[in-house]
Amino acid sequence: MRASSVDHYILQALEESSEHITSAQIYERVRAHLPAVNPSTVYRALERLAHNGKISISDLGRGAMVYQSMNAGAHDHLVCQRCGEIIHLEHDRFKEIFSALEAQYGYRMVTNHLVLWGLCPACQSESEAGG
Amino acid sequence: MRASSVDHYILQALEESSEHITSAQIYERVRAHLPAVNPSTVYRALERLAHNGKISISDLGRGAMVYQSMNAGAHDHLVCQRCGEIIHLEHDRFKEIFSALEAQYGYRMVTNHLVLWGLCPACQSESEAGG
DNA sequence: ATCGCAAATGCAATTCTTTGCATTATAATA
DNA sequence: TATTATAATGCAAAGAATTGCATTTGCGAT
Ligand SMILES: [Zn+2]
Ligand SMILES: [Zn+2]
Ligand SMILES: [Zn+2]
Ligand SMILES: [Zn+2]
């Protein structure tokens, strides 16, 4: 790996927003610094950063992947399938299971940004009503 | 919802294969029965079936989503990020956590086919070596 | 049997993402 | 500094999946 200015501006964008944002949003912000940058370069950089554990790539049901800095550390989410509400979960919650899996299968766990789907209380009633 | 022959042939294809297969593979098998069927119809049917809990839709790193019948019940997987090895996990392993989440947030859990990423023993050494 | 509605479908266009290949930029080496 | 190897990039094309809109189909009500 080599010093890439795209990587730098992507991380900057992700750290400034601190939320999950799409590649389009990232692309816009990188382009503010590197006007001639190509989308595929951004995608490749995102892949690279995820592979190195710097960011997470997730499907949160928005129609496009969302990206987030891993600076604040591993964490997970519970997402309502119907309204999209996102709840933050401590990653420690899965620590025990992950350790057990590592012990049982000899794997080294990589997952650090799980997305669990469910129905929030409000959407449960609306779903029963026939939403 | 209405009786859809596409749904029927998709479920048949998934139950016959019993493995995770791609939409292209499903499309081929549905087309054997309905030669004029359109890909988008298959995609929409797959979405419908997943929404009704009949099938799972997952990214197993194959470049396309993979689909599986939920007939055999909820289950999960541990997948090697590098070589793609897939390990089957009992869903009961997550029962406790899911119950706790439901109690804590009032959500009804929907996730029934988790995909966890890791590195298998062999790929761990190769990764350290610089693969 | 006929009517009317809602679900399902076909088709084309669009969106999001990946990939192949040639080129450029960086870092290490001689 | 000149050379070489490797990583990153640009560009265009391909691939996967979704969406809009018009049409068809199945189902219940009349
Ligand atoms: Zn997150
Ligand atoms: Zn909700
Ligand atoms: Zn499975
Ligand atoms: Zn492996």
Side-chain angles (χ1 to χ4, degrees):
Chain A
M1 192 176 65
R2 196 152 75 203
S4 157
S5 53
V6 174
D7 291 22
H8 171 75
Y9 289 121
I10 288 177
L11 288 175
Q12 181 177 305
L14 288 176
E15 279 155 23
E16 278 173 2
S17 77
S18 85
E19 269 308 317
H20 308 93
I21 60 179
T22 65
S23 72
Q25 295 174 294
I26 293 170
Y27 179 59
E28 283 313 308
R29 295 174 200 193
V30 170
R31 210 161 51 151
H33 300 281
L34 307 171
V37 75
N38 193 277
S40 72
T41 299
V42 172
Y43 277 112
R44 277 191 273 233
L46 288 167
E47 200 58 48
R48 199 158 57 219
L49 291 166
H51 185 258
N52 294 331
K54 298 280 203 304
I55 70 170
S56 65
I57 306 182
S58 316
D59 181 354
L60 255 39
R62 289 210 219 153
M65 294 292 131
V66 290
Y67 305 80
Q68 186 175 37
S69 165
M70 279 286 110
N71 250 8
H75 67 274
D76 308 285
H77 294 287
L78 176 53
V79 184
C80 178
Q81 203 171 47
R82 195 166 176 283
C83 71
E85 182 189 56
I86 301 178
I87 289 179
H88 180 99
L89 302 177
E90 296 299 322
H91 195 63
D92 279 356
R93 198 185 281 264
F94 297 93
K95 202 175 170 184
E96 213 171 302
I97 287 188
F98 278 28
S99 297
L101 288 172
E102 292 189 330
Q104 182 173 356
Y105 297 107
Y107 268 54
R108 194 177 87 221
M109 295 307 295
V110 169
T111 290
N112 58 3
H113 192 258
L114 260 183
V115 174
L116 304 179
W117 295 94
L119 281 172
C120 76
C123 290
Q124 281 172 52
S125 353
E126 301 215 25
S127 278
E128 286 162 15
Chain B
M1 192 173 66
R2 194 152 74 203
S4 157
S5 53
V6 175
D7 291 23
H8 172 75
Y9 289 121
I10 287 176
L11 287 175
Q12 181 177 305
L14 289 176
E15 279 155 23
E16 278 173 3
S17 78
S18 85
E19 268 308 317
H20 307 92
I21 60 178
T22 66
S23 72
Q25 295 174 293
I26 294 170
Y27 179 59
E28 283 314 308
R29 295 173 198 195
V30 171
R31 212 163 47 153
H33 300 280
L34 306 171
V37 74
N38 193 278
S40 72
T41 299
V42 172
Y43 277 114
R44 277 191 273 233
L46 288 168
E47 200 58 48
R48 199 159 55 221
L49 291 166
H51 185 258
N52 295 331
K54 298 279 202 304
I55 68 170
S56 65
I57 306 181
S58 316
D59 181 355
L60 253 40
R62 287 211 221 154
M65 294 292 129
V66 291
Y67 304 80
Q68 187 175 36
S69 165
M70 279 286 110
N71 251 7
H75 66 275
D76 308 284
H77 295 287
L78 176 53
V79 185
C80 178
Q81 204 171 47
R82 196 167 176 283
C83 71
E85 183 190 56
I86 299 178
I87 289 179
H88 180 99
L89 302 177
E90 296 298 323
H91 195 64
D92 279 356
R93 200 185 279 264
F94 297 92
K95 201 175 170 184
E96 215 172 300
I97 287 188
F98 278 28
S99 298
L101 288 172
E102 292 190 329
Q104 183 174 355
Y105 296 107
Y107 268 55
R108 194 177 87 221
M109 296 306 295
V110 169
T111 290
N112 57 3
H113 192 259
L114 261 182
V115 174
L116 304 179
W117 295 95
L119 282 172
C120 76
C123 290
Q124 281 172 52
S125 354
E126 302 215 27
S127 278
E128 285 162 14

